[in-house]
Structures are given as C-alpha cells and as structure tokens.
Amino acid sequence: MKNFDLVTSHNITIEYQLASILERFLALFIDLCILMVWAWVASGIAQSYAGNSWFDRGPDYELYYKMIFSFIFMPVFFFYNLFFEIFVSGASPGKMIMGIKVINFNGQNPNISECFLRWTFRPVELLLTAGGLAAIFVSSSEKAQRIGDMVARTVVIKLRPTLKYSLKDVMSIKTSNEYQPKNLNVVKFTESEMLYVKNCIDRARRYPNPSSRKLLQELTMKICEQLNIKEVPEAKKQPDFLRSLIQDYVVLTRS
C-alpha cells in the first residue's frame, strides 16, 4: 500500500492512501462498460437516422450509418475521461464507483491544464499498449503514477481509506481500576487528535523510514510542549510514550 504525503502551507502533513493498480483497473473497466452501452445506444440512433432498416439497406446505408455513428460515439469515447475529470472533481464514473479520484500535488482537484496533460498520454499508455505501460509505471513509481500523472503532477487517491481506527481499537484498553494514568492533562486533546497520534504510530510501524521517524519526533515534541513535559523522550522510546498517552486518554475519558 502506497501513500502520498502532502505538506500544507501551514507545515501540516496530510497523508493520502494511493489507489492500487486493481482499483484503477476496475475503474477503467467500469468506464469501458459505460462506453460500450453508449456505443449500443449510438448504434441504434445511427441506424434510425441512416434511413433504412437492417433488412432493407439502401446503397448508401453503410456510409450514412458509419458517419452518424462516428459523429455520435467518437467524441464521447475520446473526451469521456477529460470531461469528467475537469467537471466532476477529478473522477470519472468508474472512479466514483471505486471510491478513488485524481488530485494534484497541492491536494486540490486538478485544473484544466493538469487534466489535459493526463489525458494526452492515455492513448499511448492505455490504448496502444492495452494498459501495460500504465501498469508498469503505476506499480514501480513511488507515488503510483503513470506517465500522464508524472507530467501533470497528479496522483490518484482513495476516498475511503482502508486504514481506519477508533479508540476502541487501541491495544489492551483498561479501566481506571486497572490502570493509573500518568498524564492527566492529555484530556485537553480531542478524540480526532488522539486518533491522528494512533495513525502516526501505525504508519511508523508499517513504514520504518526517515520520514516516519521524523514525523514521530516532531509529534512527540509538539505534544510535550502542549503538556508542559520538559524532558522529551529519546527517539526509540517515542512510540511507547505516545501509546501511553493514548492509553491515558482512553482511561480518563471512559471513567
């Protein structure tokens, strides 16, 4: 599972879960099914306007049929994704059904130029190579990007992240009779803030890299400052320190 870290102008890090290859493929498959339905509708319209039935074709029927069908179907086929990503907040119907969408590196919906850049690489990545080229880049790139994403500086994220926690998920929750809280001032934090702490601990465990360790360090220093704790725990003890704060919070707020 890959993640995308967005640092806001206020120096706040927001973590997004990136869509997997399977989710993006299923979204593409759904969109293709929608286009197939539109092709069937366009074929019926073209047939009726060509002026003859299938069983009584005039000499120019096939030419008229192809012209009308192409006029109705091809613009939708070519501009389908571009239209939806511009006007529907970075998500085609397939992406909406799969709970994924496109955002830019600022965490915003892609603008017209970014959508256009993504769209211009679709024929090569998805049509000419049957999706093979896109799959290679999505699976191997750090931010799960195909070439169009890299050029446009966009990523595809999940709208329904799989890593969800509630405070009842915290390990070995005890009552006040079984556990004596050490940091009584921890109740000044909100539940969402403590859930953020829990998610940061889990991220550091799943992805033990310098970025995760730095996040824990900065988080620990900020919390110590808020709680007036003068001695900041050393790096290797910071996860245990943060877990103890969560335990304190759970016990104090459940009492």
Side-chain angles (χ1 to χ4, degrees):
M1 184 186 307
K2 296 181 179 180
N3 296 280
F4 169 64
D5 292 338
L6 169 67
V7 181
T8 69
S9 58
H10 298 288
N11 202 31
I12 297 174
T13 301
I14 301 175
E15 183 180 72
Y16 294 97
Q17 285 187 27
L18 297 173
S20 65
I21 293 179
L22 178 60
E23 289 168 321
R24 295 177 70 160
F25 171 78
L26 291 175
L28 176 62
F29 178 75
I30 293 170
D31 287 331
L32 289 176
C33 289
I34 293 173
L35 287 172
M36 289 177 63
V37 171
W38 176 242
W40 178 77
V41 172
S43 177
I45 296 173
Q47 177 185 339
S48 63
Y49 276 91
N52 299 92
S53 70
W54 286 106
F55 304 102
D56 184 23
R57 301 179 181 179
D60 296 324
Y61 172 83
E62 185 174 352
L63 175 62
Y64 291 153
Y65 172 82
K66 288 181 178 180
M67 290 177 59
I68 297 171
F69 176 81
S70 297
F71 179 78
I72 297 173
F73 175 73
M74 295 311 291
V76 176
F77 176 76
F78 279 111
F79 298 108
Y80 175 89
N81 283 87
L82 180 63
F83 174 86
F84 280 106
E85 289 184 4
I86 290 175
F87 296 104
V88 193
S89 303
S92 65
K95 287 185 175 70
M96 286 186 279
I97 293 172
M98 291 304 301
I100 62 178
K101 66 173 291 185
V102 180
I103 64 170
N104 59 29
F105 279 12
N106 294 322
Q108 305 296 319
N109 295 329
N111 57 39
I112 294 177
S113 61
E114 290 165 341
C115 290
F116 182 78
L117 286 173
R118 293 188 81 250
W119 175 76
T120 55
F121 284 87
R122 288 183 65 86
V124 175
E125 294 185 87
L126 300 177
L127 299 180
L128 297 183
T129 61
L133 185 60
I136 291 173
F137 276 89
V138 170
S139 61
S140 60
S141 63
E142 181 182 359
K143 297 181 178 67
Q145 296 169 291
R146 62 180 180 86
I147 298 176
D149 288 314
M150 295 177 181
V151 175
R153 293 177 61 79
T154 58
V155 291
V156 181
I157 64 168
K158 295 183 180 182
L159 296 177
R160 300 185 289 267
T162 55
L163 288 178
K164 296 181 179 179
Y165 297 96
S166 63
L167 288 182
K168 68 180 181 180
D169 297 322
V170 180
M171 57 290 183
S172 64
I173 296 179
K174 303 177 178 65
T175 65
S176 56
N177 295 327
E178 301 169 329
Y179 176 82
Q180 186 62 40
K182 302 179 180 63
N183 299 280
L184 302 182
N185 289 336
V186 74
V187 294
K188 70 188 298 182
F189 296 117
T190 65
E191 180 174 321
S192 61
E193 289 171 332
M194 298 310 295
L195 289 175
Y196 176 75
V197 173
K198 177 66 177 73
N199 289 338
C200 289
I201 296 172
D202 185 80
R203 175 192 169 181
R205 179 182 61 82
R206 294 172 63 89
Y207 308 102
N209 52 48
S211 176
S212 296
R213 290 192 292 271
K214 182 179 179 182
L215 175 62
L216 281 189
Q217 182 180 10
E218 293 179 352
L219 180 61
T220 301
M221 293 176 62
K222 186 67 175 178
I223 289 177
C224 287
E225 179 184 343
Q226 293 289 322
L227 297 179
N228 295 318
I229 299 175
K230 300 187 182 303
E231 187 175 346
V232 179
E234 58 186 21
K236 64 181 181 180
K237 295 182 179 180
Q238 288 172 359
D240 291 334
F241 168 73
L242 296 174
R243 290 189 189 97
S244 70
L245 290 180
I246 296 174
Q247 183 72 79
D248 291 345
Y249 183 87
V250 172
V251 171
L252 291 170
T253 54
R254 291 177 68 218
S255 300

